[in-house]
Amino acid sequence: MASALAQFGVRHVARGIGRLSNEIIESGSGSYVTMTSGRRMLDFTCGIGVTNLGHCHPGVTAAAQSQAGKLVHGQINIAFQKPYLELVQSLLPLMPHPSLDTFFFWNSGSEAVEAAVKLARHATKKQNIVVVQGSYHGRTFGTMAMTRSKTIYGQNYAPLMPGVFSVPFPYCAQCSISAHSGGKYSFSNCCMDPINQLELLLRRETAPSDTAAIIIEPVLGEGGYVPPPPHYLAKVRDICDKNGMLFIADEVQSGFGRTGKMFAIEHWGVRPDILVMAKGIANGFPLSGIVSRKELMDMQNPGSMGGTYAGNAVSCAAGVAVAKAFREEGILENVAARGAELRATLEEAGKATGIAHDVRGLGLMLALECKPGHGYASKLQAKCMEKDMLVLTTSIYDTIRFIPPLNISKEDMERGCRIIREAIEEVAAGERPEETRTRGQALE
């Protein structure tokens, strides 16, 4: 029975917000959240990849508390404020390429994506943007036009921002060429048809002289936690260089250690012209940003960028503490160790039960795509919740994703793997859990 406060929320909170549960979160600590009902749940969602260092990380909490007693709102169009500049200093050494040296901070991932589009259009004096199918970039009017993971995000909101074109992403587990190649093509030996389709797009639909940039999540997020095959991103980089287009890496979900590198693009050694970041940057405090090379950023006139809350002082102080934690707490090493444990569980249980179509991902950005036609993912999600563990589904395909804290302990990972294994075995055996509030529909 939902509490009176939860019933109040159902009546007065916008229906357009999807919810996994009508529980009310009271507090969070490390890998766990506690509900007002007293229920304590292992959190393998991290607020959809936000609290990468766990809930209420002591260093981040202390930094925010200290800053709140000094300066909360230092509007960046009025003057510099110290945490903003200290965050730039902290992030510079973490960038995937030394050319990424000039920053602009905003509030949300969608805003940062739009800031990247503004920069690309202004710097190139060209208008069109290329996106990939399966991508998620946000739900504002600009980013709705760019999102290609599900129709629900833009359905009945047209007309959207014009000048957006889409091409396939190399989703090898759903590639018809690979499926009918008799083993000739696979993830490790991709047919690279998406590269061919990109080249055709630039000849058929949007000329390079009209195309400002291509924006890609280095690992598809809402599209199913899909990493690209080797060489794909390098080939996209070559096409951008050949045609005077900018390469925008949307690292909103894949950045800040989620894949085992500080930024996912580092796995392939590809240089982006613009990098978009949010989510894990401040471990739950609203903050996002873009970084590019100074020659591009300096082309914008003073006053053309900004925002009332852009680069909030408390959020920036939290961001500085996040960067410190990555330097001092062995976060990436833990991602490698715990990611291997979680992946092994998914591969072993998925194979043993026969429900797995694909197990994929990098670091602690992992997904189990189930064999179609059975609704396995939403059932697994509900089973995990019955066992006091929060997980999310994703993609138009039957996929469940796992987003635990990057600093999760070995013991908590063992508990999580045990719950996942039990859920897979029980669902495969035909048990039917009570469906979740959104019937497994992913939230973003």
Side-chain angles (χ1 to χ4, degrees):
M1 177 71 69
S3 69
L5 186 58
Q7 292 173 353
F8 175 87
V10 170
R11 288 195 304 271
H12 295 289
V13 174
R15 183 174 176 269
I17 301 172
R19 267 188 313 281
L20 175 62
S21 169
N22 279 338
E23 290 267 13
I24 301 172
I25 300 173
E26 175 81 19
S27 63
S29 179
S31 300
Y32 292 86
V33 291
T34 301
M35 307 301 184
T36 54
S37 63
R39 191 178 183 189
R40 187 169 181 258
M41 304 189 75
L42 184 59
D43 186 4
F44 268 40
T45 72
C46 282
I48 316 187
V50 174
T51 54
N52 283 357
L53 300 181
H55 294 281
C56 297
H57 180 279
V60 178
T61 300
Q65 289 172 332
S66 175
Q67 183 59 44
K70 298 175 184 177
L71 176 71
V72 172
H73 179 60
Q75 215 287 326
I76 194 62
N77 295 106
I78 295 173
F80 288 126
Q81 37 107 334
K82 188 178 179 182
Y84 192 111
L85 300 179
E86 289 179 337
L87 182 55
V88 172
Q89 290 175 326
S90 297
L91 292 179
L92 275 171
L94 304 178
M95 290 298 105
H97 194 273
S99 63
L100 301 172
D101 62 359
T102 305
F103 293 76
F104 169 72
F105 295 125
W106 222 340
N107 309 292
S108 69
S110 297
E111 289 172 298
V113 169
E114 293 201 359
V117 171
K118 283 181 67 175
L119 176 61
R121 285 179 163 177
H122 188 268
T124 64
K125 303 300 185 284
K126 298 186 285 184
Q127 70 273 24
N128 292 345
I129 303 293
V130 177
V131 300
V132 298
Q133 292 163 13
S135 62
Y136 177 90
H137 299 295
R139 278 173 278 208
T140 58
F141 255 84
T143 57
M144 269 196 297
M146 299 164 65
T147 290
R148 292 291 191 274
S149 57
K150 284 191 181 81
T151 55
I152 190 172
Y153 299 124
Q155 185 178 355
N156 297 326
Y157 293 108
L160 304 178
M161 181 180 76
V164 179
F165 297 81
S166 67
V167 291
F169 184 86
Y171 191 163
C172 297
Q174 291 291 341
C175 175
S176 60
I177 295 176
S178 174
H180 294 90
S181 70
K184 179 180 179 180
Y185 296 118
S186 64
F187 179 82
S188 58
N189 184 35
C190 180
C191 66
M192 289 295 165
D193 183 62
I195 291 296
N196 180 51
Q197 295 300 319
L198 175 57
E199 291 174 330
L200 289 174
L201 179 83
L202 295 173
R203 294 168 62 189
R204 288 171 170 164
E205 299 183 49
T206 174
S209 59
D210 291 329
T211 308
I214 180 168
I215 181 168
I216 296 179
E217 296 171 287
V219 178
L220 285 187
E222 164 67 6
Y225 278 29
V226 186
H231 314 302
Y232 167 74
L233 292 177
K235 290 179 181 294
V236 173
R237 173 76 265 180
D238 290 344
I239 290 172
C240 288
D241 291 340
K242 177 183 175 181
N243 292 287
M245 297 157 43
L246 299 182
F247 185 117
I248 304 173
D250 181 347
E251 294 258 16
V252 169
Q253 189 160 177
S254 60
F256 288 90
R258 178 52 57 186
T259 68
K261 301 283 189 182
M262 200 64 199
F263 293 95
I265 198 79
E266 297 174 54
H267 287 282
W268 300 278
V270 173
R271 173 187 62 83
D273 296 292
I274 307 169
L275 186 144
V276 183
M277 55 192 132
K279 288 190 181 285
I281 187 173
N283 211 56
F285 288 87
L287 187 65
S288 66
I290 62 170
V291 58
S292 185
R293 57 186 187 270
K294 186 173 176 57
E295 66 185 83
L296 295 184
M297 297 285 260
D298 280 0
M299 294 174 72
Q300 294 183 307
N301 292 325
S304 62
M305 300 294 283
T308 299
Y309 301 108
N312 172 266
V314 177
S315 295
C316 286
V320 173
V322 167
K324 182 180 179 182
F326 274 96
R327 290 195 306 270
E328 298 179 355
E329 297 179 13
I331 304 297
L332 296 182
E333 292 80 3
N334 195 66
V335 172
R338 304 289 83 80
E341 294 164 357
L342 178 54
R343 189 181 189 111
T345 295
L346 297 174
E347 289 175 342
E348 292 165 8
K351 181 179 180 181
T353 58
I355 74 169
H357 175 71
D358 190 33
V359 174
R360 58 175 174 262
L362 295 168
L364 285 172
M365 188 174 183
L366 298 175
L368 168 64
E369 182 177 335
C370 302
K371 290 182 177 178
H374 304 280
Y376 283 138
S378 60
K379 294 173 185 176
L380 288 172
Q381 180 187 53
K383 265 293 179 187
C384 286
M385 288 187 67
E386 286 180 5
K387 299 173 185 291
D388 292 334
M389 179 177 174
L390 295 171
V391 292
L392 292 170
T393 58
T394 190
S395 174
I396 61 169
Y397 300 105
D398 199 24
T399 304
I400 188 165
R401 55 178 158 172
F402 302 92
I403 330 171
L406 306 185
N407 55 356
I408 186 172
S409 68
K410 184 175 180 63
E411 294 72 24
D412 286 341
M413 180 56 76
E414 287 175 352
R415 183 185 176 211
C417 287
R418 183 174 65 254
I419 291 172
I420 293 165
R421 188 180 301 109
E422 290 173 357
I424 290 173
E425 291 170 352
E426 291 170 12
V427 167
E431 293 192 23
R432 297 184 62 82
E434 181 182 351
E435 293 284 2
T436 58
R437 294 292 299 175
T438 55
R439 293 189 174 271
Q441 182 183 347
L443 306 181
E444 80 175 62

